[in-house]
Amino acid sequence: MAELLRVENLKTYYNTLRGIVRAVDGVSFTLRKGEVLGIAGESGSGKSTLAWSLLGLVPPPGYVKEGHIYLDGMDITRMSEAELRKKVRWKKISMVFQGAMNALTPVYTVGRQIEEVFKIHAPHMGKQEVWNRIYELLESVGLHRSIAHRYPHELSGGQKQRVVIAMALALEPDIVIADEPTTALDVVVQAQILNLLKRLQREKGLSIILITHDLGVIAELAETVMIMYAGKMVEYGPADLVFTRPKHPYTEALLKAIPRLRGPVDKLIYIPGQPPDLTRPPPGCKFAPRCPLAMDECHEKEPPLFKLVDGRLSACWLNRNEALEAGG
Amino acid sequence: MSVTLKSIVDFWREYRRYPIGLVGLGLLLLLIIAALTFPIFGDYQVVKNWLTNQEYFQDYPRAVPPCWVGLLTGQSQTQTIIAKDAEVASFVAVEGPVQGEDGYVRYRITATFTVTGATEPSDVALEAYMSYQADPPGVLIEEIKVVRPDGKEFYLVKPVLPGGLNVNLPLETVAPTIGTVFGYPNTKLPGADVPFSLVGLAQNPVVITRFILPTLTQEYGAELAGASLSQLLTNVYRAIFSDDIAAALKGEDYNVLQGDYQVIITFAGKNLDMEIEPKKFVVKGSCYGLLGTDDKGRPLDQGIYYGVRWALIIGLLTSVITVVVGTLYGIAAGYIGGIVDEVLLRFAQVVYSLPVLPLLILLAALFKPNIWMIIILIVAFSWPGISFVTRSMALQIKSEPYVEAAIAAGAGTLRILILYILPQVLPYMFASMALSVPGAVIAEASLSFLGLGDPDLVTWGKILYDAQDAGAALNGYWWWVIPPGLAIALVGMTFVFIGNALDTILNPKLKR
Amino acid sequence: MATARAILTRVVNSLITLVVALLFISAIFAVFKVTELEGRLAEELPLMLQQLEQQYRHNPELFEEKAKQLEQDLREKYGLTGSYWENVVNWTVRLLISNLTFNFGTTQYSYIGGTNDVGEILIIALKNTAILFVTATIITSIIGIILGLQMARRPGSPLDRGISILGMISWSLPTWWVAIIMLLVFSFYLGIFPTQMKDVYSELARLPGGLEYYILSIPIWLRYMALPVITLVLVSFGGWAYIVRNIVLGVLQEDFVMAARARGLPERRVIYGHVLRTSSPPIVTYIALSLVGAFGGAIITEAVFGWPGMGLVYWVAIQNQDATVLVASTWVLTVAFILTILILDFIYALLDPRVRVG
């Protein structure tokens, strides 16, 4: 299937007072039409920065140091603000923010905020037409059309999340980035939202980049998974493979840390230590200080992304032997 | 949750990152030093007499700028000389008795001084203990003149007939008596301190019409035609020191004649027996001190210096009490909740909605409070603002799990307030205290400026009140008007800087 | 209907405040008045008693009677018929009524407008004060918002630091002192502006009538208003800009700002339509707050300039110890003040949908 998005060696850094934070340090991947890619990692792993980079929204003092983001024949990293606004944002890629938080401007009704999107991007549409669309969008995410005239503070967390999703689909983009779409929602609502996303993806053939620290969510929705750690991609591959037979120690540790409802009740397993300081990353593999399988080599040399037999990528010296070729 | 030594050290480390806060702290140190050192370097006598005893300042020049102005403008200034008792001898000499051929015994006072500035002294004054008697009774003033550096003699009193003729007549017919000129008993003065003032003489209408005018008309007659009496009245004194007497008299521009001057007063009488003991000699210069003087001669540098301690006391006391009261009120209301909270909140809201200054003015004007009452009044209107914020904080902390746990463990209200809520509110309290000081200082200064401050206190607001009363701004007395306001601003800025640093530390959204 | 309830609550709150203020003002004036009148009574009575004694020296009993009657009459005249506290309450009620009905009586001193009716004087003075204050506030808020926005978008820039420091400095300056300095510089040294602002009336009086008056009077008003307005703006705009900066800075960090940008909205729209719009309720709150402080300072500033407004009225009243005018002015100012705050409260509700529910 057609390749929609190609990210090549993206490096996004933040130039802070404490030093240069290497938030995204050489990440590459592609996204096909209709593919759902889940990006998982702890907070501080760089996943949000990655998402923002795709829209050219990295807040200062952040900047894209190196790399390319190819979308539909354009290189996002080389585009001006005006071009990004006109051609890319919301039209080609849109973003579903954490709706339960402050993703909606508090002083305008929800409908007006969606209307604004049309006014800016589709000024030729008549008012009646726009509002019809708005009602359609709201209904498509399972909300009653009267919601359009409500203010954000009048809605529940779940309703706000649906609104944010509806807003993201307004211009029928090719790619939707969902940044923690179910965090801060209670479990029941979470399930509803996930089902909604699944349905929409099927109906519209959307490509979704799903960013979350919740592996369960990725398992529900994603066909491909990328595990990020300290700004780098450490494992990448089809979701079922990565979750059933992880190749990278970090992925393994993440999976082990998920408490099981059934089975013997044991101690809680967690990953000891902290993610590294991204202004002064350790030499060698970034995960080595916390890795239970670390060898001497791991502390000295950084492992490349090995391409494995089943098509997966994994950045661990342990995978050396299974590798088809280095790099990915 | 207690404030430990470590957290203080941590706090200081954080505070050090903000240059503005450090500037504020430095200024605070300066102010405290100024407030504490007044007894050492300041002149308490000046302050003590400031409000009550005008006479104390009679020797100071009136409304003159500070002497360093001369350095800036390039114009030299005439220094003020105040010589008392033993020092007087270096300026004033007394001669006599001298028996004259015309039968009169004469005594003479000669005062010598130098004018160095581009402006003439604002007065030359002398005070002498005198007693005299003559036989037959009658003490005459033979002459009062100023001998100028250019040798010209400027007569203020000269024996001359009414009408201006100067014929060789016996002295008693043409010379004025001491009573006419000075108002002292002509026949006999048993012993008193007698003051002379050059300005007084030069502006005395009788002296001018009877003596000065005729003498001047003789010398400069034609040039003075058409000048009015009131004009001459003001210009005679200046003419004494000018290089172009006629021009000065007519009110035109002139340059001050610099050099040595002598003021000579000659007394005459038959069988005159006089005792003259000069006690004080004053040349009121064109400048004085570090900050000049006001229209009553009071040295402003002392006033400003002294004002520091009151500004600090008022500012700190007011803001500390306000914040403490407001905080306790707020956390009590927030924590106790329910009806009590409702009532307390409403009350605070009502007080908060009242316009502070008009009410303060009304209260002060009607009841004339002293400074402590004023402080209490200011506090009474200022506490609600803090109480709202601390109430919100208390509400928030109240719902925290550890507080609920403490309650479940049986902790009482007071204990919770002190151990859990207060420590978290403390940093905000300090920031508020700092930020409230400027407002408090300005509030008190405003009341003083309107004349409603404590009447027994010398504060910067009071100094500005006097300035406004004397029309200082419209007369160009910038040295009177600028320093007090700058001082108020300085105190305010000190605390704003400190408060701003504290605020930035506590409010993470504003951190850089 | 929740909105109606919200409106009602606010109005009721304002009314309560007004009532409390009214009681307070009337009571303290009553205390003052009773003390003053008692003093006057204590002076007058002995003198009049002496006269009476002369009159009735042959008839001591009749004298007793007459003396009692005299004291009674005097006390009635001054309204001091009861005990001290009864008198205070009595007078408080009297003043309550006169204040509520805005019936203040007359004064013996001359203020503005050539009238002795306190009510008329206050109307003129209030109008003039409002002109000055409103103009200055509008100009200050415009400058403050524009500057504050720019500062928030470039935190740490020279503009930001400079204006922030300026704001902090002007927070410590008494407005009336700056007024004095302005007079010193512009009226004394440079002679650009007139010195006594109340002279505006004498200049206006020299104008011809009719339409010409209205056209010509404007530049005259402007010339006299200029220095006071410049002073008020100069002292306030720094602090304004700083507060707006902080508010906007806080809002800029909210998620919805990035979300708005992500939607491809032009930056201009994001800043004005979303950021500023969301900042406007707290800014309005700040307007209300700053009114409290700025108001008092502005009144005194008026007095310094001799602007024929409430400031001048206060100044003259204080000099002359004219308690009647003082109380009337305070009451009128309090009413005006509370009304203004109420209006601002409504504007806040209009701007922030989150508070409209109760």
Side-chain angles (χ1 to χ4, degrees):
Chain A
M1 253 196 273
E3 177 185 284
L4 268 183
L5 179 71
R6 174 203 289 275
V7 176
E8 268 179 24
N9 195 29
L10 180 65
K11 292 190 182 166
T12 306
Y13 293 170
Y14 288 92
N15 200 350
T16 70
L17 292 169
R18 287 181 298 124
I20 299 195
V21 177
R22 296 179 176 75
V24 177
D25 205 6
V27 170
S28 308
F29 64 94
T30 59
L31 187 70
R32 291 185 323 271
K33 183 157 167 55
E35 179 183 353
V36 178
L37 168 67
I39 303 184
E42 292 169 85
S43 15
S45 55
K47 31 191 223 294
S48 290
T49 306
L50 179 56
W52 296 336
S53 307
L54 296 177
L55 282 167
L57 274 182
V58 183
Y63 62 100
V64 172
K65 181 166 192 320
E66 245 183 78
H68 300 270
I69 301 176
Y70 294 109
L71 173 69
D72 216 20
M74 306 178 285
D75 183 353
I76 293 185
T77 57
R78 302 284 180 271
M79 287 170 79
S80 70
E81 184 67 17
E83 288 181 299
L84 282 169
R85 238 187 289 131
K86 281 208 208 72
K87 299 193 204 157
V88 174
R89 292 188 190 144
W90 231 247
K91 280 196 164 132
K92 299 240 178 282
I93 315 184
S94 69
M95 198 149 158
V96 171
F97 290 86
Q98 261 185 280
M101 294 295 117
N102 260 329
L104 295 164
T105 306
V107 293
Y108 295 129
T109 59
V110 156
R112 235 195 100 183
Q113 294 188 46
I114 307 181
E115 185 192 16
E116 190 181 26
V117 172
F118 286 109
K119 273 204 204 145
I120 295 292
H121 291 280
H124 55 272
M125 283 175 79
K127 187 157 172 177
Q128 189 66 13
E129 207 188 331
V130 168
W131 276 95
N132 283 340
R133 251 320 253 145
I134 295 177
Y135 293 137
E136 248 176 59
L137 280 166
L138 289 174
E139 280 165 356
S140 75
V141 294
L143 290 172
H144 190 265
R145 50 167 55 191
S146 63
I147 297 277
H149 302 291
R150 297 240 174 286
Y151 287 96
H153 67 277
E154 296 177 281
L155 305 175
S156 72
Q159 286 174 318
K160 278 194 275 195
Q161 191 67 63
R162 291 177 197 258
V163 166
V164 172
I165 294 175
M167 204 162 21
L169 297 173
L171 299 177
E172 300 186 1
D174 299 319
I175 305 176
V176 174
I177 306 175
D179 191 352
E180 307 280 6
T182 55
T183 315
L185 295 174
D186 68 62
V187 190
V188 177
V189 180
Q190 257 191 36
Q192 292 173 341
I193 300 293
L194 285 176
N195 284 332
L196 173 63
L197 284 173
K198 265 199 264 191
R199 175 167 64 80
L200 288 170
Q201 193 271 328
R202 237 182 13 239
E203 281 174 11
K204 302 183 193 279
L206 287 172
S207 311
I208 300 185
I209 300 180
L210 181 59
I211 300 179
T212 176
H213 61 274
D214 187 342
L215 293 175
V217 169
I218 295 190
E220 275 284 327
L221 223 46
E223 62 183 273
T224 319
V225 159
M226 180 196 323
I227 312 278
M228 277 186 77
Y229 185 80
K232 293 202 189 284
M233 178 159 64
V234 296
E235 187 162 353
Y236 177 92
D240 49 359
L241 286 180
V242 172
F243 285 142
T244 51
R245 278 176 308 190
K247 286 291 175 193
H248 193 281
Y250 180 57
T251 318
E252 242 187 274
L254 276 181
L255 287 167
K256 279 218 203 102
I258 299 175
R260 303 255 179 276
L261 269 185
R262 301 190 191 107
V265 177
D266 230 336
K267 306 197 291 224
L268 277 179
I269 306 183
Y270 61 98
I271 311 177
Q274 297 274 18
D277 177 1
L278 292 174
T279 56
R280 266 178 296 255
C285 172
K286 305 281 177 276
F287 186 58
R290 298 165 79 187
C291 181
L293 304 170
M295 310 175 292
D296 286 334
E297 191 178 8
C298 301
H299 293 287
E300 293 160 23
K301 261 172 40 185
E302 184 157 10
L305 263 175
F306 294 110
K307 192 162 176 156
L308 304 180
V309 183
D310 46 16
R312 277 194 277 173
L313 300 169
S314 176
C316 179
W317 290 118
L318 290 173
N319 307 125
R320 187 187 352 225
N321 305 322
E322 299 168 58
L324 285 176
E325 60 197 65
Chain B
M1 278 262 142
S2 50
V3 181
T4 58
L5 195 62
K6 178 174 187 307
S7 57
I8 296 181
V9 171
D10 283 340
F11 179 78
W12 172 243
R13 213 170 276 150
E14 179 71 21
Y15 188 88
R16 266 203 341 224
R17 287 178 52 206
Y18 295 94
I20 284 212
L22 294 172
V23 169
L25 222 48
L27 285 173
L28 183 61
L29 211 60
L30 277 174
L31 286 172
I32 294 181
I33 293 178
L36 292 175
T37 56
F38 183 82
I40 309 175
F41 298 119
D43 186 347
Y44 187 63
Q45 287 301 316
V46 167
V47 174
K48 202 168 92 161
N49 289 300
W50 190 280
L51 298 159
T52 47
N53 184 8
Q54 298 296 302
E55 272 188 37
Y56 183 82
F57 301 101
Q58 56 178 274
D59 300 328
Y60 291 90
R62 304 263 144 93
V64 291
C67 288
W68 45 261
V69 167
L71 294 169
L72 292 176
T73 58
Q75 275 191 334
S76 47
Q77 303 287 320
T78 308
Q79 296 290 334
T80 299
I81 303 169
I82 303 181
K84 292 197 186 150
D85 303 317
E87 307 165 335
V88 178
S90 45
F91 297 99
V92 181
V94 176
E95 293 162 66
V98 171
Q99 181 73 33
E101 284 159 12
D102 49 8
Y104 283 96
V105 176
R106 288 178 175 72
Y107 286 81
R108 176 183 296 166
I109 301 178
T110 311
T112 319
F113 62 95
T114 318
V115 171
T116 50
T119 336
E120 66 268 349
S122 52
D123 196 6
V124 179
L126 174 67
E127 189 176 290
Y129 174 84
M130 294 195 339
S131 77
Y132 51 75
Q133 55 183 34
D135 178 24
V139 178
L140 304 168
I141 304 242
E142 181 168 23
E143 65 181 10
I144 301 181
K145 68 182 177 189
V146 178
V147 180
R148 297 153 38 106
D150 59 1
K152 280 209 197 124
E153 295 181 333
F154 194 105
Y155 281 92
L156 286 104
V157 172
K158 190 173 178 179
V160 64
L161 277 174
L165 300 169
N166 202 7
V167 180
N168 257 340
L169 288 172
L171 204 54
E172 63 256 29
T173 41
V174 293
T177 62
I178 199 171
T180 319
V181 177
F182 291 112
Y184 282 102
N186 177 39
T187 49
K188 173 176 151 105
L189 183 68
D193 286 332
V194 172
F196 299 101
S197 152
L198 201 56
V199 166
L201 270 179
Q203 290 184 344
N204 185 331
V206 172
V207 171
I208 292 186
T209 42
R210 265 191 73 181
F211 306 108
I212 303 180
L213 214 48
T215 321
L216 290 174
T217 324
Q218 261 188 341
E219 292 196 42
Y220 306 96
E223 301 166 60
L224 292 179
S228 66
L229 183 64
S230 56
Q231 224 183 352
L232 293 173
L233 253 172
T234 36
N235 290 324
V236 167
Y237 180 80
R238 293 203 206 115
I240 299 176
F241 297 97
S242 78
D243 60 351
D244 185 345
I245 296 183
L249 284 171
K250 284 189 285 186
E252 293 162 14
D253 281 339
Y254 61 92
N255 286 323
V256 165
L257 190 64
Q258 296 174 346
D260 292 335
Y261 283 77
Q262 280 186 327
V263 177
I264 301 180
I265 309 176
T266 312
F267 304 93
K270 294 255 171 74
N271 299 312
L272 178 61
D273 181 18
M274 264 183 105
E275 190 189 330
I276 305 178
E277 204 186 294
K279 296 181 74 177
K280 192 163 69 169
F281 177 63
V282 172
V283 175
K284 292 191 191 176
S286 55
C287 73
Y288 186 82
L290 279 172
L291 289 174
T293 62
D294 66 3
D295 70 340
K296 298 195 168 48
R298 298 179 286 199
L300 290 165
D301 42 22
Q302 297 301 322
I304 303 277
Y305 193 11
Y306 182 72
V308 178
R309 32 172 61 185
W310 280 108
L312 284 178
I313 293 176
I314 295 170
L316 285 171
L317 210 56
T318 311
S319 57
V320 167
I321 299 180
T322 304
V323 170
V324 168
V325 167
T327 304
L328 291 177
Y329 190 96
I331 60 177
Y335 182 70
I336 298 178
I339 283 284
V340 174
D341 177 34
E342 274 289 315
V343 170
L344 287 177
L345 184 63
R346 289 267 176 262
F347 179 64
Q349 280 173 338
V350 168
V351 175
Y352 189 67
S353 323
L354 297 171
V356 179
L357 207 67
L359 288 170
L360 266 182
I361 293 179
L362 185 65
L363 285 165
L366 291 182
F367 299 114
K368 315 229 187 311
N370 62 25
I371 188 65
W372 311 111
M373 287 303 299
I374 291 179
I375 291 181
I376 293 184
L377 283 176
I378 299 178
V379 169
F381 285 104
S382 316
W383 61 265
I386 315 278
S387 74
F388 295 136
V389 180
T390 49
R391 173 182 171 273
S392 303
M393 289 174 134
L395 279 175
Q396 199 196 12
I397 300 175
K398 184 165 82 161
S399 56
E400 295 275 355
Y402 55 83
V403 171
E404 288 182 6
I407 299 177
T413 309
L414 204 61
R415 195 182 168 80
I416 298 205
L417 282 176
I418 298 181
L419 282 182
Y420 291 95
I421 302 187
L422 208 52
Q424 291 193 49
V425 164
L426 217 56
Y428 174 73
M429 279 174 79
F430 284 124
S432 299
M433 278 186 215
L435 291 171
S436 313
V437 170
V441 171
I442 293 183
E444 188 279 327
S446 303
L447 283 179
S448 294
F449 177 68
L450 291 171
L452 297 173
D454 188 327
D456 301 323
L457 220 52
V458 181
T459 59
W460 297 330
K462 170 66 84 47
I463 296 180
L464 284 170
Y465 170 70
D466 290 331
Q468 181 72 358
D469 218 19
L474 301 173
N475 279 320
Y477 298 152
W478 52 267
W479 60 91
W480 192 353
V481 152
I482 297 184
L486 281 183
I488 295 176
L490 198 70
V491 172
M493 276 199 285
T494 306
F495 287 97
V496 167
F497 287 164
I498 295 179
N500 178 261
L502 289 176
D503 209 21
T504 316
I505 295 178
L506 298 171
N507 191 350
K509 280 198 213 166
L510 299 177
K511 278 200 208 179
R512 287 197 230 294
Chain C
M1 269 309 101
T3 324
R5 215 185 94 196
I7 296 179
L8 204 63
T9 326
R10 281 178 176 77
V11 173
V12 166
N13 274 343
S14 302
L15 280 176
I16 297 179
T17 312
L18 270 177
V19 167
V20 168
L22 181 61
L23 271 168
F24 185 61
I25 295 176
S26 308
I28 49 181
F29 189 39
V31 169
F32 173 76
K33 200 88 177 137
V34 167
T35 318
E36 187 195 42
L37 289 175
E38 284 280 3
R40 213 187 292 174
L41 193 75
E43 275 180 30
E44 277 190 29
L45 195 57
L47 290 172
M48 295 179 81
L49 279 177
Q50 263 187 359
Q51 281 185 354
L52 210 59
E53 218 177 346
Q54 282 298 319
Q55 240 184 319
Y56 290 95
R57 62 171 172 266
H58 298 300
N59 196 339
E61 271 177 27
L62 198 55
F63 168 67
E64 284 279 334
E65 222 186 278
K66 288 287 180 191
K68 275 213 184 56
Q69 186 65 34
L70 179 65
E71 187 170 347
Q72 188 92 329
D73 289 340
L74 265 183
R75 282 199 172 269
E76 262 189 49
K77 174 174 149 203
Y78 287 138
L80 295 175
T81 44
S83 72
Y84 180 74
W85 288 110
E86 282 177 7
N87 291 334
V88 170
V89 171
N90 205 338
W91 267 99
T92 307
V93 172
R94 272 207 216 185
L95 291 163
L96 264 174
I97 298 177
S98 79
N99 275 338
L100 266 177
T101 56
F102 292 98
N103 180 6
F104 301 116
T106 56
T107 172
Q108 55 184 122
Y109 304 101
S110 76
Y111 289 86
I112 335 170
T115 169
N116 279 345
D117 179 51
V118 178
E120 282 178 27
I121 297 176
L122 286 179
I123 291 181
I124 302 178
L126 208 58
K127 175 188 75 126
N128 287 338
T129 298
I131 293 178
L132 203 60
F133 199 60
V134 170
T135 311
T137 306
I138 292 180
I139 299 180
T140 311
S141 44
I142 294 178
I143 298 181
I145 291 179
I146 295 179
L147 267 181
L149 260 180
Q150 293 311 315
M151 285 160 71
R153 293 171 73 183
R154 285 176 260 278
S157 65
L159 175 76
D160 182 31
R161 287 192 198 248
I163 306 270
S164 295
I165 299 205
L166 188 70
M168 282 189 262
I169 293 180
S170 48
W171 177 244
S172 348
L173 289 173
T175 318
W176 42 265
W177 176 73
V178 177
I180 298 179
I181 304 295
M182 299 292 271
L183 272 178
L184 187 69
V185 171
F186 288 101
S187 291
F188 175 77
Y189 281 122
L190 298 178
I192 302 180
F193 292 107
T195 54
Q196 269 298 68
M197 302 310 169
K198 65 177 184 285
D199 292 341
V200 67
Y201 281 115
S202 45
E203 252 200 70
L204 283 173
R206 287 185 251 144
L207 287 180
L211 188 61
E212 268 190 65
Y213 177 80
Y214 286 108
I215 300 181
L216 288 175
S217 64
I218 295 183
I220 295 184
W221 271 109
L222 286 176
R223 199 163 70 89
Y224 278 89
M225 269 173 68
L227 205 54
V229 168
I230 293 176
T231 306
L232 287 175
V233 171
L234 214 59
V235 173
S236 326
F237 86 92
W240 264 86
Y242 183 67
I243 298 287
V244 169
R245 167 211 186 259
N246 285 347
I247 294 176
V248 171
L249 211 56
V251 169
L252 274 176
Q253 295 181 14
E254 301 272 11
D255 292 332
F256 66 81
V257 176
M258 177 183 270
R261 287 200 183 109
R263 297 205 283 279
L265 300 179
E267 186 67 7
R268 218 197 160 119
R269 211 193 179 109
V270 173
I271 295 293
Y272 288 100
H274 290 254
V275 174
L276 189 57
R277 183 68 182 68
T278 309
S279 308
S280 50
I283 292 180
V284 167
T285 307
Y286 178 67
I287 299 181
L289 282 179
S290 72
L291 269 187
V292 181
F295 203 53
I299 299 282
I300 306 183
T301 307
E302 271 191 10
V304 168
F305 282 116
W307 176 259
M310 294 303 287
L312 191 64
V313 169
Y314 263 103
W315 184 265
V316 176
I318 295 175
Q319 304 284 25
N320 291 325
Q321 290 284 291
D322 190 347
T324 318
V325 169
L326 275 175
V327 169
S329 310
T330 310
W331 170 237
V332 163
L333 269 184
T334 307
V335 172
F337 184 74
I338 293 179
L339 269 176
T340 312
I341 301 282
L342 187 65
I343 295 177
L344 282 171
D345 227 0
F346 282 137
I347 297 182
Y348 183 97
L350 260 154
L351 289 172
D352 191 350
R354 290 175 283 194
V355 302
R356 288 192 204 153
V357 193

